[in-house]
Short mmCIF file of all heavy atoms in Angstrom, two decimals:
data_model
loop_
_atom_site.label_atom_id
_atom_site.label_comp_id
_atom_site.label_asym_id
_atom_site.label_seq_id
_atom_site.Cartn_x
_atom_site.Cartn_y
_atom_site.Cartn_z
N LEU A 55 24.32 2.33 -16.68
CA LEU A 55 25.12 1.33 -17.41
C LEU A 55 26.06 2.02 -18.41
O LEU A 55 27.17 1.55 -18.68
CB LEU A 55 24.16 0.39 -18.12
CG LEU A 55 24.61 -1.01 -18.46
CD1 LEU A 55 25.27 -1.68 -17.28
CD2 LEU A 55 23.43 -1.83 -18.94
N LYS A 56 25.62 3.16 -18.92
CA LYS A 56 26.44 3.88 -19.92
C LYS A 56 27.81 4.21 -19.33
O LYS A 56 28.82 4.19 -20.04
CB LYS A 56 25.73 5.15 -20.38
CG LYS A 56 26.43 5.84 -21.54
CD LYS A 56 25.70 7.02 -22.08
CE LYS A 56 26.46 7.67 -23.26
NZ LYS A 56 27.91 7.81 -23.02
N GLY A 57 27.85 4.46 -18.05
CA GLY A 57 29.13 4.75 -17.41
C GLY A 57 30.09 3.57 -17.52
O GLY A 57 31.28 3.72 -17.80
N LEU A 58 29.54 2.37 -17.37
CA LEU A 58 30.38 1.16 -17.48
C LEU A 58 30.80 0.96 -18.93
O LEU A 58 31.95 0.62 -19.23
CB LEU A 58 29.58 -0.05 -16.98
CG LEU A 58 30.31 -1.39 -16.90
CD1 LEU A 58 31.46 -1.32 -15.89
CD2 LEU A 58 29.33 -2.51 -16.52
N TYR A 59 29.85 1.25 -19.82
CA TYR A 59 30.14 1.11 -21.26
C TYR A 59 31.28 2.05 -21.64
O TYR A 59 32.27 1.65 -22.24
CB TYR A 59 28.88 1.44 -22.06
CG TYR A 59 29.00 1.27 -23.55
CD1 TYR A 59 28.66 0.07 -24.17
CD2 TYR A 59 29.49 2.32 -24.35
CE1 TYR A 59 28.78 -0.09 -25.54
CE2 TYR A 59 29.63 2.16 -25.71
CZ TYR A 59 29.28 0.97 -26.31
OH TYR A 59 29.43 0.80 -27.67
N ASP A 60 31.15 3.31 -21.23
CA ASP A 60 32.18 4.31 -21.57
C ASP A 60 33.52 3.95 -20.93
O ASP A 60 34.57 4.01 -21.55
CB ASP A 60 31.75 5.71 -21.12
CG ASP A 60 30.52 6.19 -21.90
OD1 ASP A 60 30.23 5.58 -22.97
OD2 ASP A 60 29.84 7.11 -21.42
N ARG A 61 33.48 3.53 -19.68
CA ARG A 61 34.72 3.28 -18.93
C ARG A 61 35.49 2.08 -19.52
O ARG A 61 36.70 2.00 -19.41
CB ARG A 61 34.37 3.01 -17.47
CG ARG A 61 35.56 3.07 -16.55
CD ARG A 61 35.16 2.97 -15.10
NE ARG A 61 34.71 4.23 -14.53
CZ ARG A 61 34.60 4.41 -13.21
NH1 ARG A 61 34.84 3.41 -12.37
NH2 ARG A 61 34.22 5.57 -12.73
N THR A 62 34.77 1.19 -20.17
CA THR A 62 35.45 0.00 -20.74
C THR A 62 35.50 0.07 -22.26
O THR A 62 35.74 -0.94 -22.92
CB THR A 62 34.71 -1.29 -20.33
OG1 THR A 62 33.36 -1.21 -20.83
CG2 THR A 62 34.69 -1.47 -18.82
N HIS A 63 35.20 1.28 -22.79
CA HIS A 63 35.18 1.45 -24.26
C HIS A 63 34.33 0.37 -24.92
O HIS A 63 34.81 -0.42 -25.75
CB HIS A 63 36.60 1.44 -24.82
CG HIS A 63 37.42 2.60 -24.30
ND1 HIS A 63 38.26 2.48 -23.20
CD2 HIS A 63 37.46 3.91 -24.66
CE1 HIS A 63 38.82 3.65 -22.93
NE2 HIS A 63 38.35 4.54 -23.81
N GLY A 64 33.08 0.30 -24.45
CA GLY A 64 32.15 -0.68 -25.01
C GLY A 64 32.51 -2.10 -24.67
O GLY A 64 32.05 -3.04 -25.33
N GLY A 65 33.35 -2.28 -23.68
CA GLY A 65 33.74 -3.62 -23.24
C GLY A 65 35.08 -4.05 -23.81
O GLY A 65 35.65 -5.06 -23.39
N ALA A 66 35.62 -3.23 -24.75
CA ALA A 66 36.87 -3.64 -25.42
C ALA A 66 38.03 -3.78 -24.44
O ALA A 66 38.93 -4.60 -24.64
CB ALA A 66 37.20 -2.61 -26.49
N ASP A 67 38.01 -3.02 -23.35
CA ASP A 67 39.15 -3.05 -22.41
C ASP A 67 39.20 -4.34 -21.61
O ASP A 67 40.21 -4.67 -21.00
CB ASP A 67 39.08 -1.87 -21.44
CG ASP A 67 39.21 -0.54 -22.18
OD1 ASP A 67 39.40 -0.60 -23.42
OD2 ASP A 67 39.06 0.52 -21.55
N LEU A 68 38.04 -5.02 -21.52
CA LEU A 68 38.03 -6.26 -20.73
C LEU A 68 38.06 -7.43 -21.71
O LEU A 68 37.05 -7.82 -22.26
CB LEU A 68 36.77 -6.32 -19.85
CG LEU A 68 36.70 -5.32 -18.70
CD1 LEU A 68 35.38 -5.48 -17.94
CD2 LEU A 68 37.87 -5.53 -17.73
N LYS A 69 39.26 -7.99 -21.89
CA LYS A 69 39.40 -9.03 -22.92
C LYS A 69 39.09 -10.40 -22.32
O LYS A 69 39.37 -10.66 -21.15
CB LYS A 69 40.83 -9.02 -23.46
CG LYS A 69 41.20 -7.68 -24.12
CD LYS A 69 42.42 -7.77 -24.99
CE LYS A 69 42.78 -6.40 -25.60
NZ LYS A 69 41.62 -5.50 -25.80
N GLY A 70 38.47 -11.24 -23.16
CA GLY A 70 38.20 -12.61 -22.70
C GLY A 70 36.86 -13.09 -23.19
O GLY A 70 36.00 -12.28 -23.55
N THR A 71 36.66 -14.39 -23.18
CA THR A 71 35.42 -14.98 -23.72
C THR A 71 34.52 -15.53 -22.63
O THR A 71 33.54 -16.20 -22.93
CB THR A 71 35.80 -16.14 -24.67
OG1 THR A 71 36.53 -17.10 -23.88
CG2 THR A 71 36.65 -15.66 -25.84
N CYS A 72 34.85 -15.21 -21.38
CA CYS A 72 34.02 -15.74 -20.27
C CYS A 72 33.92 -14.67 -19.19
O CYS A 72 34.93 -14.16 -18.71
CB CYS A 72 34.69 -16.99 -19.70
SG CYS A 72 33.87 -17.64 -18.22
N GLY A 73 32.69 -14.28 -18.84
CA GLY A 73 32.55 -13.23 -17.83
C GLY A 73 31.17 -13.18 -17.21
O GLY A 73 30.23 -13.85 -17.66
N ILE A 74 31.07 -12.36 -16.15
CA ILE A 74 29.80 -12.15 -15.44
C ILE A 74 29.57 -10.65 -15.28
O ILE A 74 30.54 -9.88 -15.22
CB ILE A 74 29.80 -12.83 -14.05
CG1 ILE A 74 31.03 -12.42 -13.23
CG2 ILE A 74 29.70 -14.34 -14.19
CD1 ILE A 74 31.10 -13.04 -11.84
N GLY A 75 28.30 -10.24 -15.22
CA GLY A 75 27.98 -8.82 -15.10
C GLY A 75 26.84 -8.61 -14.12
O GLY A 75 26.14 -9.58 -13.75
N HIS A 76 26.64 -7.34 -13.70
CA HIS A 76 25.67 -7.09 -12.62
C HIS A 76 25.17 -5.66 -12.66
O HIS A 76 25.92 -4.73 -12.91
CB HIS A 76 26.37 -7.34 -11.28
CG HIS A 76 25.46 -7.33 -10.09
ND1 HIS A 76 25.27 -6.22 -9.31
CD2 HIS A 76 24.69 -8.29 -9.56
CE1 HIS A 76 24.42 -6.51 -8.34
NE2 HIS A 76 24.05 -7.76 -8.47
N THR A 77 23.88 -5.47 -12.44
CA THR A 77 23.33 -4.14 -12.13
C THR A 77 22.78 -4.24 -10.72
O THR A 77 22.04 -5.17 -10.40
CB THR A 77 22.19 -3.76 -13.10
OG1 THR A 77 21.30 -4.86 -13.21
CG2 THR A 77 22.71 -3.35 -14.46
N ARG A 78 23.21 -3.31 -9.86
CA ARG A 78 22.91 -3.43 -8.43
C ARG A 78 21.78 -2.50 -8.02
O ARG A 78 21.79 -1.32 -8.32
CB ARG A 78 24.15 -3.09 -7.60
CG ARG A 78 23.92 -3.15 -6.10
CD ARG A 78 25.20 -2.91 -5.32
NE ARG A 78 24.97 -3.04 -3.88
CZ ARG A 78 25.05 -2.03 -3.01
NH1 ARG A 78 25.35 -0.81 -3.44
NH2 ARG A 78 24.82 -2.21 -1.72
N TRP A 79 20.78 -3.08 -7.30
CA TRP A 79 19.77 -2.28 -6.62
C TRP A 79 20.15 -2.34 -5.15
O TRP A 79 20.05 -3.41 -4.52
CB TRP A 79 18.38 -2.87 -6.85
CG TRP A 79 17.32 -2.31 -5.96
CD1 TRP A 79 16.92 -2.80 -4.76
CD2 TRP A 79 16.55 -1.13 -6.17
NE1 TRP A 79 15.95 -2.01 -4.22
CE2 TRP A 79 15.69 -0.98 -5.05
CE3 TRP A 79 16.49 -0.18 -7.18
CZ2 TRP A 79 14.79 0.08 -4.93
CZ3 TRP A 79 15.58 0.87 -7.06
CH2 TRP A 79 14.75 0.99 -5.94
N ALA A 80 20.69 -1.27 -4.60
CA ALA A 80 21.31 -1.30 -3.27
C ALA A 80 20.33 -1.75 -2.19
O ALA A 80 19.19 -1.27 -2.13
CB ALA A 80 21.82 0.10 -2.93
N THR A 81 20.75 -2.71 -1.40
CA THR A 81 20.00 -3.06 -0.18
C THR A 81 20.91 -2.86 1.03
O THR A 81 20.62 -2.10 1.91
CB THR A 81 19.52 -4.54 -0.21
OG1 THR A 81 20.66 -5.36 -0.45
CG2 THR A 81 18.47 -4.77 -1.26
N HIS A 82 22.06 -3.52 1.05
CA HIS A 82 22.98 -3.35 2.19
C HIS A 82 24.18 -2.55 1.70
O HIS A 82 25.00 -3.07 0.95
CB HIS A 82 23.44 -4.71 2.73
CG HIS A 82 22.33 -5.50 3.31
ND1 HIS A 82 21.30 -6.02 2.55
CD2 HIS A 82 22.04 -5.82 4.59
CE1 HIS A 82 20.45 -6.65 3.34
NE2 HIS A 82 20.85 -6.54 4.58
N GLY A 83 24.26 -1.27 2.10
CA GLY A 83 25.38 -0.44 1.65
C GLY A 83 24.93 0.52 0.57
O GLY A 83 24.17 0.14 -0.33
N GLU A 84 25.39 1.74 0.70
CA GLU A 84 24.98 2.80 -0.24
C GLU A 84 25.39 2.44 -1.67
O GLU A 84 26.27 1.60 -1.87
CB GLU A 84 25.70 4.09 0.15
CG GLU A 84 25.48 4.53 1.58
CD GLU A 84 24.23 5.39 1.71
OE1 GLU A 84 24.16 6.39 1.00
OE2 GLU A 84 23.35 5.01 2.48
N PRO A 85 24.77 3.09 -2.65
CA PRO A 85 25.20 2.88 -4.05
C PRO A 85 26.54 3.56 -4.32
O PRO A 85 26.59 4.73 -4.67
CB PRO A 85 24.07 3.50 -4.87
CG PRO A 85 23.27 4.34 -3.94
CD PRO A 85 23.61 3.98 -2.55
N THR A 86 27.64 2.83 -4.10
CA THR A 86 28.98 3.38 -4.36
C THR A 86 29.74 2.39 -5.24
O THR A 86 29.32 1.23 -5.38
CB THR A 86 29.78 3.52 -3.05
OG1 THR A 86 29.91 2.20 -2.48
CG2 THR A 86 29.07 4.43 -2.07
N GLU A 87 30.89 2.80 -5.78
CA GLU A 87 31.69 1.92 -6.63
C GLU A 87 32.20 0.73 -5.81
O GLU A 87 32.20 -0.41 -6.25
CB GLU A 87 32.86 2.71 -7.24
CG GLU A 87 33.52 1.98 -8.39
CD GLU A 87 34.40 2.93 -9.20
OE1 GLU A 87 33.92 4.04 -9.52
OE2 GLU A 87 35.56 2.54 -9.48
N VAL A 88 32.60 1.01 -4.58
CA VAL A 88 33.13 -0.08 -3.73
C VAL A 88 32.05 -1.13 -3.47
O VAL A 88 32.31 -2.33 -3.44
CB VAL A 88 33.63 0.50 -2.38
CG1 VAL A 88 33.93 -0.63 -1.39
CG2 VAL A 88 34.86 1.36 -2.60
N ASN A 89 30.80 -0.66 -3.31
CA ASN A 89 29.71 -1.61 -3.00
C ASN A 89 29.15 -2.27 -4.26
O ASN A 89 28.40 -3.24 -4.16
CB ASN A 89 28.59 -0.88 -2.26
CG ASN A 89 28.98 -0.54 -0.83
OD1 ASN A 89 29.87 -1.18 -0.25
ND2 ASN A 89 28.35 0.48 -0.28
N ALA A 90 29.49 -1.71 -5.44
CA ALA A 90 28.99 -2.30 -6.69
C ALA A 90 29.57 -3.71 -6.86
O ALA A 90 30.63 -4.04 -6.31
CB ALA A 90 29.37 -1.42 -7.87
N HIS A 91 28.85 -4.54 -7.61
CA HIS A 91 29.35 -5.89 -7.92
C HIS A 91 30.05 -5.82 -9.27
O HIS A 91 29.75 -4.92 -10.07
CB HIS A 91 28.18 -6.89 -8.03
CG HIS A 91 27.35 -6.99 -6.81
ND1 HIS A 91 26.58 -8.09 -6.50
CD2 HIS A 91 27.11 -6.12 -5.80
CE1 HIS A 91 25.93 -7.89 -5.39
NE2 HIS A 91 26.23 -6.70 -4.93
N PRO A 92 30.98 -6.77 -9.58
CA PRO A 92 31.32 -7.98 -8.82
C PRO A 92 32.18 -7.70 -7.61
O PRO A 92 32.87 -6.68 -7.56
CB PRO A 92 32.09 -8.81 -9.85
CG PRO A 92 32.73 -7.78 -10.73
CD PRO A 92 31.74 -6.66 -10.84
N HIS A 93 32.09 -8.63 -6.64
CA HIS A 93 32.98 -8.58 -5.48
C HIS A 93 34.01 -9.70 -5.63
O HIS A 93 33.65 -10.80 -6.07
CB HIS A 93 32.19 -8.72 -4.18
CG HIS A 93 31.43 -7.46 -3.86
ND1 HIS A 93 32.03 -6.35 -3.31
CD2 HIS A 93 30.15 -7.11 -4.09
CE1 HIS A 93 31.14 -5.39 -3.19
NE2 HIS A 93 29.99 -5.82 -3.67
N LEU A 94 35.27 -9.38 -5.30
CA LEU A 94 36.34 -10.36 -5.45
C LEU A 94 37.04 -10.60 -4.12
O LEU A 94 37.01 -9.73 -3.24
CB LEU A 94 37.38 -9.91 -6.49
CG LEU A 94 36.91 -9.89 -7.95
CD1 LEU A 94 36.21 -8.59 -8.30
CD2 LEU A 94 38.05 -10.16 -8.91
N ASN A 95 37.67 -11.77 -3.99
CA ASN A 95 38.51 -12.02 -2.83
C ASN A 95 39.80 -11.21 -2.96
O ASN A 95 40.07 -10.65 -4.02
CB ASN A 95 38.80 -13.52 -2.70
CG ASN A 95 39.51 -14.06 -3.94
OD1 ASN A 95 39.41 -13.48 -5.03
ND2 ASN A 95 40.21 -15.16 -3.80
N SER A 96 40.57 -11.16 -1.91
CA SER A 96 41.75 -10.25 -1.93
C SER A 96 42.76 -10.68 -3.00
O SER A 96 43.40 -9.85 -3.62
CB SER A 96 42.43 -10.23 -0.56
OG SER A 96 42.74 -11.56 -0.18
N LYS A 97 42.84 -12.00 -3.28
CA LYS A 97 43.79 -12.46 -4.30
C LYS A 97 43.23 -12.26 -5.72
O LYS A 97 43.86 -12.55 -6.72
CB LYS A 97 44.11 -13.95 -4.07
CG LYS A 97 44.72 -14.26 -2.71
CD LYS A 97 45.20 -15.72 -2.58
CE LYS A 97 44.06 -16.71 -2.57
NZ LYS A 97 43.35 -16.80 -1.27
N GLN A 98 41.97 -11.80 -5.80
CA GLN A 98 41.28 -11.59 -7.09
C GLN A 98 41.26 -12.85 -7.94
O GLN A 98 41.35 -12.82 -9.17
CB GLN A 98 41.90 -10.41 -7.84
CG GLN A 98 41.77 -9.10 -7.05
CD GLN A 98 42.07 -7.86 -7.86
OE1 GLN A 98 42.43 -7.91 -9.03
NE2 GLN A 98 41.89 -6.71 -7.22
N THR A 99 41.11 -13.99 -7.26
CA THR A 99 41.02 -15.27 -7.99
C THR A 99 39.58 -15.77 -8.05
O THR A 99 39.30 -16.76 -8.73
CB THR A 99 41.87 -16.34 -7.26
OG1 THR A 99 41.44 -16.39 -5.89
CG2 THR A 99 43.37 -16.00 -7.32
N ILE A 100 38.70 -15.10 -7.32
CA ILE A 100 37.27 -15.46 -7.35
C ILE A 100 36.45 -14.18 -7.48
O ILE A 100 36.72 -13.19 -6.80
CB ILE A 100 36.84 -16.18 -6.05
CG1 ILE A 100 37.72 -17.39 -5.75
CG2 ILE A 100 35.36 -16.64 -6.15
CD1 ILE A 100 37.45 -18.02 -4.38
N ALA A 101 35.46 -14.18 -8.37
CA ALA A 101 34.57 -13.03 -8.55
C ALA A 101 33.14 -13.50 -8.43
O ALA A 101 32.79 -14.57 -8.92
CB ALA A 101 34.80 -12.39 -9.91
N VAL A 102 32.32 -12.65 -7.73
CA VAL A 102 30.92 -13.03 -7.48
C VAL A 102 29.98 -11.86 -7.81
O VAL A 102 30.29 -10.71 -7.48
CB VAL A 102 30.71 -13.41 -6.00
CG1 VAL A 102 29.23 -13.54 -5.66
CG2 VAL A 102 31.43 -14.71 -5.68
N VAL A 103 28.88 -12.16 -8.46
CA VAL A 103 27.75 -11.22 -8.57
C VAL A 103 26.55 -11.89 -7.91
O VAL A 103 26.40 -13.12 -7.95
CB VAL A 103 27.44 -10.86 -10.04
CG1 VAL A 103 28.54 -10.00 -10.62
CG2 VAL A 103 27.21 -12.09 -10.88
N HIS A 104 25.71 -11.08 -7.25
CA HIS A 104 24.68 -11.63 -6.37
C HIS A 104 23.39 -10.83 -6.46
O HIS A 104 23.42 -9.60 -6.51
CB HIS A 104 25.23 -11.61 -4.94
CG HIS A 104 24.22 -11.83 -3.84
ND1 HIS A 104 24.16 -11.03 -2.72
CD2 HIS A 104 23.23 -12.74 -3.70
CE1 HIS A 104 23.20 -11.46 -1.91
NE2 HIS A 104 22.62 -12.50 -2.50
N ASN A 105 22.27 -11.50 -6.49
CA ASN A 105 20.96 -10.87 -6.34
C ASN A 105 20.28 -11.56 -5.16
O ASN A 105 20.16 -12.78 -5.13
CB ASN A 105 20.12 -11.03 -7.60
CG ASN A 105 18.72 -10.44 -7.41
OD1 ASN A 105 18.51 -9.58 -6.57
ND2 ASN A 105 17.75 -10.94 -8.17
N GLY A 106 19.87 -10.76 -4.16
CA GLY A 106 19.19 -11.35 -3.00
C GLY A 106 19.67 -10.67 -1.73
O GLY A 106 20.36 -9.66 -1.76
N ILE A 107 19.33 -11.27 -0.59
CA ILE A 107 19.70 -10.71 0.72
C ILE A 107 20.21 -11.85 1.58
O ILE A 107 19.50 -12.85 1.79
CB ILE A 107 18.47 -10.04 1.37
CG1 ILE A 107 18.10 -8.75 0.61
CG2 ILE A 107 18.75 -9.73 2.84
CD1 ILE A 107 16.86 -8.06 1.12
N ILE A 108 21.47 -11.71 2.05
CA ILE A 108 22.03 -12.72 2.96
C ILE A 108 21.72 -12.28 4.38
O ILE A 108 22.20 -11.24 4.85
CB ILE A 108 23.56 -12.86 2.77
CG1 ILE A 108 23.85 -13.26 1.31
CG2 ILE A 108 24.11 -13.91 3.74
CD1 ILE A 108 23.18 -14.51 0.82
N GLU A 109 20.88 -13.03 5.06
CA GLU A 109 20.36 -12.59 6.36
C GLU A 109 21.36 -12.77 7.49
O GLU A 109 21.31 -12.05 8.47
CB GLU A 109 19.06 -13.35 6.67
CG GLU A 109 17.96 -13.00 5.67
CD GLU A 109 16.78 -13.96 5.74
OE1 GLU A 109 16.77 -14.80 6.66
OE2 GLU A 109 15.90 -13.87 4.88
N ASN A 110 22.30 -13.73 7.33
CA ASN A 110 23.28 -13.94 8.42
C ASN A 110 24.66 -13.43 8.03
O ASN A 110 25.68 -13.92 8.51
CB ASN A 110 23.35 -15.44 8.78
CG ASN A 110 23.81 -16.29 7.60
OD1 ASN A 110 23.70 -15.86 6.46
ND2 ASN A 110 24.32 -17.46 7.88
N TYR A 111 24.68 -12.40 7.18
CA TYR A 111 25.99 -11.95 6.68
C TYR A 111 26.83 -11.33 7.78
O TYR A 111 28.04 -11.50 7.79
CB TYR A 111 25.84 -11.00 5.49
CG TYR A 111 25.56 -9.56 5.83
CD1 TYR A 111 26.58 -8.61 5.81
CD2 TYR A 111 24.28 -9.12 6.17
CE1 TYR A 111 26.34 -7.28 6.11
CE2 TYR A 111 24.02 -7.80 6.47
CZ TYR A 111 25.05 -6.88 6.44
OH TYR A 111 24.79 -5.56 6.75
#
Side-chain angles (χ1 to χ4, degrees):
L55 205 47
K56 188 175 180 316
L58 185 63
Y59 183 92
D60 295 343
R61 194 173 278 195
T62 59
H63 297 95
D67 296 357
L68 291 178
K69 299 197 181 331
T71 60
C72 174
I74 52 179
H76 188 264
T77 46
R78 178 175 183 247
W79 167 268
T81 54
H82 295 68
E84 304 272 305
T86 61
E87 195 165 313
V88 169
N89 288 337
H91 301 203
H93 286 282
L94 291 86
N95 59 336
S96 55
K97 300 188 292 282
Q98 299 193 357
T99 54
I100 305 172
V102 169
V103 290
H104 167 227
N105 176 24
I107 290 176
I108 301 304
E109 295 167 7
N110 61 339
Y111 83 100

